[in-house]
Amino acid sequence: MRRGLPSVVLVRGLLSGAFFGMDVFIPLALTSLHGFSPTQAGVVLTVAALGWSAASQYQGRSRRSQAFFVRLGAVLVTAGIAASVLTLQVSGWPAAVTWIIGGAGMGFAIGSLSVLMLRLSPEDEQGASSSALQIADMLGSSLVVGVAGALVTAFGTGTSGRLALGLGVAGAVFAAIAGLGAVAALRLESRRTPRPTSRRIGASS
């Protein structure tokens, strides 16, 4: 969680892990706890995708800083996960409303993180920084989904009550991870300017 580029990469991994972890378990909750068909469960996920697209379009045209949108996005992802976990314990369709909040949060944050990564990286290190961002994205999602799956299985899926409890615990883990991402988002700005590239050094000498 060092200030600047390390926090950019960390926030990307935390938000991706929390969001996609919840995104994986929402269809399970809808079909197993509330009797949704796969098509109906897909509608809920589609609504979140639309929220992601709309938020991404908005932040791309706004004059506010990328750091502002990352922080806003992290808060919305955390709120969307927490609200969806509570909603899914009771009903199904309201999750379409709560999960669009999470989708909008990702739309605000993901593109902004990519821009921040490029801005904070020297030109000759942008390829390595881009790779780090993608690795954090994939690794965060894989680890969180794997751990959450183990948790849900440990609680048992034999009855709806045990499944609901397991999903609730997994959702709390997702919300905590997203909340940690919101904390890390406070450290996005670097106090130092990027180091000059070797090409610039050669030109100046």
Side-chain angles (χ1 to χ4, degrees), residues 123-124 196-205:
E123 288 184 9
D124 57 353
T197 63
S198 56
R199 181 173 55 188
R200 289 174 179 167
I201 293 173
S204 63
S205 60

Side-chain angles (χ1 to χ4, degrees), residues 162-181:
R162 294 181 68 85
L163 178 59
L165 179 60
L167 290 173
V169 172
V173 172
F174 300 146
I177 292 171
L180 182 59

Side-chain angles (χ1 to χ4, degrees), residues 110-174:
I110 294 301
S112 299
L113 285 167
S114 297
V115 174
L116 278 172
M117 178 274 297
L118 293 173
R119 196 180 77 195
L120 294 172
S121 300
E123 288 184 9
D124 57 353
E125 296 180 9
Q126 288 179 352
S129 298
S130 297
S131 297
L133 207 65
Q134 295 301 317
I135 290 172
D137 207 345
M138 296 297 103
L139 188 61
S141 301
S142 301
L143 286 177
V144 173
V145 171
V147 170
L151 279 174
V152 173
T153 302
F155 277 94
T157 58
T159 64
S160 60
R162 294 181 68 85
L163 178 59
L165 179 60
L167 290 173
V169 172
V173 172
F174 300 146

Side-chain angles (χ1 to χ4, degrees), residues 69-84:
F69 281 115
V70 174
R71 290 165 185 154
L72 174 62
V75 170
L76 291 178
V77 171
T78 305
I81 291 173
S84 297

Side-chain angles (χ1 to χ4, degrees), residues 8-35:
V8 170
V9 175
L10 178 62
V11 172
R12 179 69 170 260
L14 291 173
L15 292 186
S16 294
F19 178 84
F20 289 113
M22 189 68 192
D23 205 52
V24 166
F25 284 96
I26 282 179
L28 176 62
L30 292 173
T31 55
S32 299
L33 299 179
H34 304 294

